[in-house]
């Protein structure tokens, strides 16, 4: 069976106070969950190198990048970000952007690759917000196009929250198409304008969701012909998610992932996946939800 590249790093976890809404250990929890899965033998595990300040400046203001590097964020900026600055947070932020870039490069080579992090879509050009320091999807897209590895990229964001940072950073870029399917009444309350926004009502359930998803996939390709898709697989659309307002079951989540993967695989368009958001007090349950995209990948790319 073909190996599938999984990109991760042992320094991805974020030190946070107890009772923080974000699960500090979610990246290592996910890795540990995947280690005991019956598809772990398919994994080709790769670690990214840290990005430089210059690298990150492709999608962020230099002043903001330096604040993250040196720990000069104001209290107000840290409040908006949702995290207190630490060296570990800074270090992992410079690693994770290259994690998504490496995932994209592996996907271009073999059709599919999965990042065990990424999807930090609330990060804007000059500020972080909603637990997102740097915008990995904008970062990876801009670097790939600059290096001429691809011409056109679709960012397909199915996290329950709108990809507002991605939309605003890439708003004038006609080589990158941003599509966000999100719940209207979830954060951010002031939305940006993506190339395609699909707003969902609270309490939406599996069948209707999957119908809208499929329609949106087709609509994206009517407008745009990508040579790579970055798929944000946020699991905060789950009915038990602490922040999301939708009512998608575990089975529905898996179906979403399979639907998207099959759609692009059938068109021979490479797919790089990132995990996006997910919130639960039960960290094992959260790791299981995030592991579904890896399961879906092993099923679709068998
Ligand atoms: Zn989210």
């Amino acid at each position: 069976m073909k190996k599938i590249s999984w990109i991760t790093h042992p320094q991805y976890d974020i030190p946070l106070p107890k009772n923080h809404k974000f699960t500090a250990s979610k990246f290592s929890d996910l890795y540990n969950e995947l280690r005991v899965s019956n598809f772990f033998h398919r994994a080709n595990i790769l670690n990214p190198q840290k990005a430089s300040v210059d690298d990150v400046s492709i999608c962020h203001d230099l002043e903001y990048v330096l604040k993250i590097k040196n720990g000069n964020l104001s209290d107000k900026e840290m409040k908006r970000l949702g995290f207190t600055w630490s060296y570990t947070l800074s270090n992992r932020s410079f690693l994770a952007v290259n994690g998504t870039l490496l995932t994209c490069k592996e996907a271009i080579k073999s059709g599919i690759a999965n990042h065990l992090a990424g999807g930090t879509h609330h990060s804007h050009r000059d500020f972080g917000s909603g637990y997102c320091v740097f915008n990995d999807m904008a970062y990876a897209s801009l670097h790939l196009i600059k290096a001429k590895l691809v011409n056109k990229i679709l960012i397909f964001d199915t996290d329950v929250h709108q990809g507002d940072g991605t939309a605003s950073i890439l708003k004038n870029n006609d080589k990158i198409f941003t599509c966000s399917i999100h719940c209207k009444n979830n954060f951010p309350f002031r939305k940006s304008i993506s190339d395609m926004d699909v707003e969902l009502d609270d309490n939406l359930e599996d069948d209707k969701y999957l119908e809208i998803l499929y329609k949106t996939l087709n609509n994206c390709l009517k407008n745009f012909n990508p040579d790579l898709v970055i798929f944000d697989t946020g699991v905060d659309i789950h009915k038990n998610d602490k922040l999301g307002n939708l009512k998608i079951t575990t089975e529905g989540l898996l179906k979403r992932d399979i639907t998207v993967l099959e759609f692009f695989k059938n068109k021979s368009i490479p797919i790089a996946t990132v995990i996006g958001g997910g919130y639960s007090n039960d960290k094992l349950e959260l790791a299981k939800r995030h592991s579904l995209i890896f399961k879906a990948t092993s099923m679709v790319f068998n």
Side-chain angles (χ1 to χ4, degrees):
M1 263 184 171
K2 214 173 101 176
K3 289 270 186 183
I4 297 168
S5 291
W6 288 2
I7 287 72
T8 187
H9 198 285
Q11 290 163 14
Y12 269 173
D13 283 349
I14 302 170
L16 296 170
K18 265 195 177 153
N19 301 323
H20 197 288
K21 276 187 195 145
F22 192 97
T23 303
S25 60
K26 90 167 190 171
F27 307 97
S28 55
D29 294 342
L30 172 59
Y31 183 73
N32 291 331
E33 176 65 26
L34 290 169
R35 268 171 66 104
V36 296
S37 70
N38 59 9
F39 44 86
F40 186 70
H41 63 281
R42 303 272 314 270
N44 168 38
I45 293 168
L46 301 171
N47 298 145
Q49 304 283 323
K50 251 174 111 164
S52 67
V53 166
D54 241 28
D55 293 337
V56 180
S57 301
I58 197 166
C59 61
H60 290 290
D61 284 354
L62 179 62
E63 195 188 342
Y64 173 61
V65 181
L66 288 172
K67 279 183 188 172
I68 295 297
K69 183 174 162 53
N70 301 324
N72 299 330
L73 294 173
S74 66
D75 287 350
K76 201 175 154 194
E77 287 169 317
M78 286 195 276
K79 194 162 178 241
R80 189 163 201 184
L81 174 59
F83 294 142
T84 303
W85 186 91
S86 61
Y87 172 75
T88 310
L89 177 70
S90 168
N91 183 58
R92 66 93 54 211
S93 301
F94 284 93
L95 282 167
V97 283
N98 265 352
T100 294
L101 179 57
L102 180 55
T103 307
C104 291
K105 287 179 177 170
E106 288 296 307
I108 292 165
K109 274 196 261 174
S110 62
I112 181 73
N114 308 115
H115 193 191
L116 282 75
T120 43
H121 59 176
H122 300 307
S123 169
H124 289 248
R125 190 169 282 282
D126 55 351
F127 65 93
S129 94
Y131 314 136
C132 299
V133 176
F134 295 141
N135 196 306
D136 60 311
M137 295 188 285
Y139 173 90
S141 303
L142 290 168
H143 274 291
L144 292 166
I145 285 174
K146 190 179 170 197
K148 297 192 163 45
L149 289 172
V150 285
N151 292 317
K152 285 177 155 192
I153 299 171
L154 167 63
I155 298 178
F156 193 74
D157 188 337
T158 63
D159 188 284
V160 82
H161 304 102
Q162 195 212 21
D164 59 335
T166 320
S168 87
I169 293 172
L170 299 172
K171 69 179 171 206
N172 295 321
N173 193 315
D174 58 8
K175 293 185 170 179
I176 305 165
F177 191 90
T178 55
C179 173
S180 178
I181 310 178
H182 52 266
C183 180
K184 186 164 64 184
N185 295 325
N186 271 122
F187 178 90
F189 299 104
R190 198 179 303 153
K191 310 271 194 282
S192 300
I193 300 170
S194 314
D195 292 309
M196 188 178 294
D197 282 301
V198 178
E199 301 216 297
L200 308 172
D201 292 327
D202 289 0
N203 302 317
L204 189 72
E205 295 182 359
D206 290 3
D207 287 353
K208 186 73 189 152
Y209 178 85
L210 293 166
E211 194 186 311
I212 294 170
L213 176 78
Y214 195 70
K215 223 181 262 174
T216 308
L217 285 165
N218 280 300
N219 284 341
C220 280
L221 289 211
K222 263 184 219 156
N223 288 283
F224 196 74
N225 243 325
D227 355 84
L228 173 72
V229 176
I230 303 177
F231 176 24
D232 184 331
T233 68
V235 296
D236 40 17
I237 62 170
H238 193 273
K239 63 186 170 110
N240 294 337
D241 189 86
K242 211 158 53 168
L243 302 185
N245 292 348
L246 303 186
K247 290 274 179 289
I248 308 305
T249 65
T250 301
E251 199 195 9
L253 260 183
L254 184 64
K255 278 190 187 158
R256 173 197 66 180
D257 293 348
I258 290 172
T259 302
V260 175
L261 294 174
E262 279 183 340
F263 183 86
F264 292 113
K265 184 185 177 225
N266 289 340
K267 294 177 165 48
S268 302
I269 301 170
I271 312 152
T273 77
V274 294
I275 65 169
Y279 305 89
S280 171
N281 293 332
D282 182 341
K283 53 188 210 165
L284 183 62
E285 176 59 32
L286 181 63
K288 283 187 192 303
R289 284 179 210 154
H290 278 304
S291 74
L292 292 171
I293 179 59
F294 298 81
K295 181 178 179 179
T297 301
S298 76
M299 289 164 72
V300 173
F301 291 82
N302 54 15

